[in-house]
Amino acid sequence: MEESTAGGFLSNWHSAMIIGAIAFTALAIIIYIYHNIRVSGISDYKDKYDYLRKYEIKAYKLCFILIAVAVAMLINTYGKNTLEFDPVWFFVRLFISVAGGTLIGYIAALVLQYYYPTKLNKKLRKWRYTPRVNPNTGRKMRLLSEDEEDVHLDEGMQAEENVFSVDYDVWIDEETGYTKIEKYQGHLEALQCGNCGFYTMKVVREEIIEPPTETKEGELIKHYECQYCGSVRATQFHIAREENYDGFKPEQSKFKKNALVNVVKVEIHGSNGEKKSYTFQTVEQATKFLDEFDFEKTGAI
């Protein structure tokens, strides 16, 4: 490449990197501002809760990605006024810029995955438990306790709460009797029943019909039962091949004092030999589950 042509290419390249960095940074700021304006514009607390839970981390993740790209472009302008075009240096600098942008994106992903959910949870709790207002009278409403709210929930809703797949909050204006029922995700995952439509379809039994080997995938059947209407279904899953597979081996867990709890697993053994397992993210969730657990409602007797 001729010196004049190479110099012109390098000059245009640096200009493009600077313009791109400014554009991506501006776009990240616009997305951030738009997200916060959108949140502040939602008047209903439940709608605000749902929007934050669904879009906040996604919006911030996109902002960080754009910023990481902008930083990579800025790194790619290093030495723009002193260096002449050299193919080796050009691609080395390009590699370093990509690595720098990737590092920033990775750090941002760790922050959003491990640190920010705690802050987001505080926001969600604020909007979930801020007293609701009766739209007809302007009076503040009261949040009913778990025992008080059952009278306002139908049997299907109570079944969803009993299997911890859905949690309902019931607000009431005690002067007028006006009630507002809000639906939130529960502690445990449950599928929607195709028969009754409630999220009460739980796994009651797993059956390995063909164990995996080194050369062949295995087959697993999960048996589901609706805890409300009793509807049942079975779904077949593939088990990935395992190297040096020699059967199931339970993991041996070691607990250390003051260790960080990543997951809490509760196993309930019934008198008839039936065993049910539940997994929680925090000790508080497991404690609440045990306080509210009812053997008769889950069938674990």
Side-chain angles (χ1 to χ4, degrees), residues 164-192:
F164 292 88
S165 64
V166 173
D167 192 14
Y168 288 97
D169 286 353
V170 180
W171 296 85
I172 185 169
D173 182 348
E174 295 179 307
E175 182 174 303
T176 64
Y178 175 84
T179 59
K180 182 178 183 181
I181 300 176
E182 297 177 349
K183 182 177 181 180
Y184 297 90
Q185 183 178 359
H187 304 317
L188 304 179
E189 292 186 1
L191 301 179
Q192 185 176 22

Side-chain angles (χ1 to χ4, degrees), residues 14-15 17 42 54 67 101 111 130 139 205 254 272 296:
H14 290 151
S15 297
M17 291 298 102
I42 301 175
K54 185 175 182 180
I67 291 175
V111 170
T130 297
R139 287 177 49 85
R205 182 166 58 92
K254 296 181 180 180
N272 62 352
E296 296 182 354

Side-chain angles (χ1 to χ4, degrees), residues 63-73 97-98 100-106:
C63 289
F64 278 124
I65 290 174
L66 294 173
I67 291 175
V69 174
V71 170
M73 288 183 167
S97 65
V98 172
T102 302
L103 178 61
I104 292 177
Y106 178 70

Side-chain angles (χ1 to χ4, degrees), residues 149-162 166 168 170 181 183 196-200 228 297:
E149 70 183 17
D150 285 347
V151 68
H152 300 280
L153 303 178
D154 60 35
E155 292 182 357
M157 293 177 176
Q158 294 181 42
E160 288 179 314
E161 285 208 322
N162 290 336
V166 173
Y168 288 97
V170 180
I181 300 176
K183 182 177 181 180
C196 66
F198 292 109
Y199 287 85
T200 49
Y228 174 58
K297 291 180 178 179

Side-chain angles (χ1 to χ4, degrees), residues 8-27:
F9 167 77
L10 203 58
S11 176
N12 292 334
W13 176 268
H14 290 151
S15 297
M17 291 298 102
I18 293 174
I19 294 174
I22 295 174
F24 279 104
T25 301
L27 184 58

Side-chain angles (χ1 to χ4, degrees), residues 212-254:
T213 65
E214 295 181 10
T215 59
K216 188 172 61 173
E217 292 183 339
E219 299 291 339
L220 168 71
I221 294 181
K222 289 187 177 183
H223 298 268
Y224 296 85
E225 181 178 353
C226 178
Q227 305 301 306
Y228 174 58
C229 68
S231 177
V232 297
R233 82 180 191 204
T235 305
Q236 186 172 348
F237 296 88
H238 292 287
I239 305 176
R241 292 178 298 177
E242 295 189 8
E243 295 182 359
N244 301 322
Y245 178 81
D246 56 356
F248 172 76
K249 293 182 179 179
E251 295 182 356
Q252 296 182 352
S253 301
K254 296 181 180 180

